[in-house]
Amino acid sequence: MSAYDKTVRVQEPFEAVQASNKIWIVHEEYEISEGERPEEAVTLQASFDPPAMLDFIRNMESQLHDARICVDITGFIRPHLLILLWALRDVGVRSFDILYSDPMRYVADEHTEFTTGPIVDVMQVPGYEGLHRVPSGTEDDILVVGTGYDSQQIASACDAKKTSKKYVVTGLPSLQPHMYQENVLRIDQARESIGSVPRQRFLYASANHPFAVAQELHDLVAREREETAARQQEFGNLYLCPTGPKPHVLGFALYYLRELEHTAASIIYPFAKSYSKLTTDGLLRTWQYQIEL
């Protein structure tokens, strides 16, 4: 399975992978015209209530149980990717492979636009809704933002949780050496919304290492729980917002599904009306991850 867009790093691996059944998914938010879409592609509506991705996976359930599954996450829109992982586990899939391809560069470097429409709302992602304590929106809450190039999304997430204690996660090492500096420039554009964050709350994990991201989140939450217990206070609400590289999104999802379900934690996302279908040039390398849910 792969989500279609206009980039080389999405199209070339789809052609190269050997499989008896290949599925192109077209996200409605990319606004890809009928004439541009591959033949027999499955179009998923921008529907998250109920999630279109969940219905798609449930309709394939009988095929998935006897198959070796590989998902190329490179072209997936982030909330759809999060729901895909939850949906696969929901139908009983426990093991599968994931591919992700690094780009040579982003088409406009640090000025590349990923969301082409306005941010509609910052909401919980279906499947990742927490049992939050009341009241929320207090200084006891924690917001962890995984950052990428989209300063609009970073700012929207921080504005939605203004009073929360904020952590910022950045990809380092980055996908390419120059991309870290470009990422920092985009974070700086959201500085007003992020507010004053001490240096120790800027965290780093390799941009193409989902398991390192999951470990970083685990360590962060463990430290916060210990500090809260030492003050004889209850741990507040935790909000995770992955807007960075797709391997980071995968790491956020794996950590949540393993450790945070049915707790006062959720994954939130700044949902936009549309996204750019051409953001990168070239293909540098493709990574393969084995996932155990």
Side-chain angles (χ1 to χ4, degrees), residues 7 12 18 22 43 46 49 78 93 102 110 127-128 134 141 150 160 181 183-184 211 219 221 224 229 252 270 276 286:
T7 63
E12 283 193 359
Q18 298 182 19
K22 296 185 181 182
T43 300
D49 188 22
R78 289 167 181 81
V93 174
D102 294 344
E110 73 271 20
Y128 300 83
V134 178
D141 292 348
D150 201 318
Q181 294 299 332
N183 194 172
V184 170
F211 311 114
D219 294 345
V221 173
E224 284 289 343
F252 273 72
S276 174
T286 297

Side-chain angles (χ1 to χ4, degrees), residues 165-223:
K165 182 179 181 181
K166 297 178 179 66
Y167 284 86
V168 177
V169 182
T170 306
L172 186 68
S174 53
L175 300 181
Q176 289 266 43
H178 63 278
M179 290 180 179
Y180 172 71
Q181 294 299 332
E182 293 174 355
N183 194 172
V184 170
L185 290 172
R186 296 309 294 263
I187 293 171
D188 193 61
Q189 292 179 17
R191 181 69 61 181
E192 183 176 347
S193 297
I194 296 172
S196 178
V197 176
R199 183 182 296 272
Q200 61 267 30
R201 288 198 223 145
F202 280 85
L203 308 177
Y204 303 93
S206 176
N208 46 33
H209 199 325
F211 311 114
V213 174
Q215 184 64 51
E216 192 68 44
L217 294 172
H218 169 86
D219 294 345
L220 158 63
V221 173
R223 289 194 302 270

Side-chain angles (χ1 to χ4, degrees), residues 1-117:
M1 286 182 275
S2 182
Y4 182 81
D5 66 18
K6 302 293 288 183
T7 63
V8 170
R9 67 178 182 144
V10 167
Q11 296 184 19
E12 283 193 359
F14 189 85
E15 296 299 325
V17 168
Q18 298 182 19
S20 57
N21 184 19
K22 296 185 181 182
I23 301 171
W24 271 128
I25 296 170
V26 175
H27 292 306
E28 191 177 58
E29 297 96 321
Y30 280 144
E31 299 180 336
I32 297 172
S33 68
E34 288 288 344
E36 294 178 293
R37 300 178 187 187
E39 293 183 8
E40 301 182 358
V42 177
T43 300
L44 286 189
Q45 296 179 342
S47 173
F48 293 94
D49 188 22
M53 179 64 76
L54 178 59
D55 289 342
F56 169 67
I57 293 298
R58 284 179 174 169
N59 289 336
M60 291 185 61
E61 182 174 355
S62 60
Q63 303 172 54
L64 296 173
H65 284 168
D66 298 323
R68 182 182 176 190
I69 301 166
C70 180
V71 181
D72 187 344
I73 66 173
T74 310
F76 273 83
I77 292 173
R78 289 167 181 81
H80 285 291
L81 170 57
L82 290 164
I83 294 172
L84 170 67
L85 298 168
W86 169 58
L88 287 172
R89 197 191 62 169
D90 181 71
V91 301
V93 174
R94 292 291 180 265
S95 178
F96 53 97
D97 290 330
I98 277 182
L99 303 179
Y100 176 76
S101 296
D102 294 344
M104 296 295 291
R105 62 182 290 270
Y106 291 106
V107 290
D109 300 316
E110 73 271 20
H111 303 295
T112 304
E113 295 295 333
F114 292 85
T115 54
T116 57

Side-chain angles (χ1 to χ4, degrees), residues 109-177:
D109 300 316
E110 73 271 20
H111 303 295
T112 304
E113 295 295 333
F114 292 85
T115 54
T116 57
I119 301 294
V120 177
D121 200 1
V122 179
M123 301 180 293
Q124 292 176 319
V125 177
Y128 300 83
E129 306 100 331
L131 303 173
H132 288 291
R133 304 180 189 278
V134 178
S136 62
T138 69
E139 293 181 358
D140 294 329
D141 292 348
I142 296 172
L143 171 66
V144 184
V145 182
T147 61
Y149 279 40
D150 201 318
S151 56
Q152 182 185 9
Q153 287 191 317
I154 298 169
S156 296
C158 293
D159 288 340
K161 304 296 177 185
K162 285 184 180 295
T163 60
S164 298
K165 182 179 181 181
K166 297 178 179 66
Y167 284 86
V168 177
V169 182
T170 306
L172 186 68
S174 53
L175 300 181
Q176 289 266 43

